[in-house]
Amino acid sequence: MLMPVAKGSTIDPARTRATILQAATQMLYERGLDGIGVAELCARLGVSKETLYRHFGTKDGLVQAMLEARSDQGIRRMNDAALAAGDDPADQLTAVFNAFQRWYDEATFRGCALLNAATQHYTDAVRAITARHLRRYLDLLTGIAERAGAADPQLLGRQLLILIEGATVVADHHSPTRAGEHACQAALTLLAAARKT
């Protein structure tokens, strides 16, 4: 919940917006986009509807900002994992899948917020954010495929993306236990085969 501004202090609009976004993100992720209305959201955040609308325009504006922030966070986490793994593409790929498995193992894991949103709100704006998110993952994976010397890095990158998204769905709807590890084994098999061609 947001803290009231002390009397005599100045309001920082960017900080207020970031605080609302951070608090709303977890609620919207846990409950789903349709699982909480604006009145309840504002009550739980401790802000007025006017404040929410001033910073985001509408609930849809808040949802879009939340999805973009989640995408940035996810891409940053995966890029950092690949970078920390060193120069070997197999190690980079393993690090990415391991990072996904750590996410699946979190108690708050509810699947991919972007894919969940695209399923719940089949709007052009949400679809565009989700498509951009998947493209960013694809760019990361295609880069790994290129560094591995794959004959067709675009195809391998797409196959790796399918494995990641499939593992995410399985972890969310079936069991998170070793979903990332099993997908990683398949990914490394694809990577080794691509290196041979």
Side-chain angles (χ1 to χ4, degrees), residues 73-82 91-106 109 137 140 164 168 180-181 184:
Q73 179 187 40
I75 296 299
R76 188 170 41 253
R77 183 175 42 224
M78 297 311 147
N79 278 327
D80 289 350
D91 291 343
Q92 293 171 355
L93 195 56
T94 300
V96 168
F97 277 91
N98 287 344
F100 272 98
Q101 184 62 60
R102 285 191 298 276
W103 177 44
Y104 303 157
D105 291 337
E106 291 176 6
F109 175 71
Y137 276 147
L140 169 65
I164 283 176
T168 302
E181 180 185 329
C184 184

Side-chain angles (χ1 to χ4, degrees), residues 63-158:
V63 166
Q64 290 171 25
M66 181 269 288
L67 295 174
E68 288 169 352
R70 291 285 300 212
S71 178
D72 290 345
Q73 179 187 40
I75 296 299
R76 188 170 41 253
R77 183 175 42 224
M78 297 311 147
N79 278 327
D80 289 350
L83 187 62
D87 295 333
D88 182 59
D91 291 343
Q92 293 171 355
L93 195 56
T94 300
V96 168
F97 277 91
N98 287 344
F100 272 98
Q101 184 62 60
R102 285 191 298 276
W103 177 44
Y104 303 157
D105 291 337
E106 291 176 6
T108 57
F109 175 71
R110 302 285 181 275
C112 175
L114 288 105
L115 294 179
N116 293 346
T119 302
Q120 290 175 330
H121 288 269
Y122 201 68
T123 66
D124 289 342
V126 170
R127 288 177 60 212
I129 294 167
T130 303
R132 185 169 54 250
H133 173 72
L134 293 175
R135 255 192 323 274
R136 293 166 82 187
Y137 276 147
L138 181 60
D139 290 344
L140 169 65
L141 297 167
T142 301
I144 292 171
E146 287 171 350
R147 288 188 292 282
D152 189 343
Q154 296 290 329
L155 174 61
L156 180 57
R158 192 167 168 78

Side-chain angles (χ1 to χ4, degrees), residues 148-172:
D152 189 343
Q154 296 290 329
L155 174 61
L156 180 57
R158 192 167 168 78
Q159 291 168 333
L160 297 173
L161 177 65
I162 291 167
L163 284 172
I164 283 176
E165 294 306 323
T168 302
V169 170
V170 168
D172 184 29

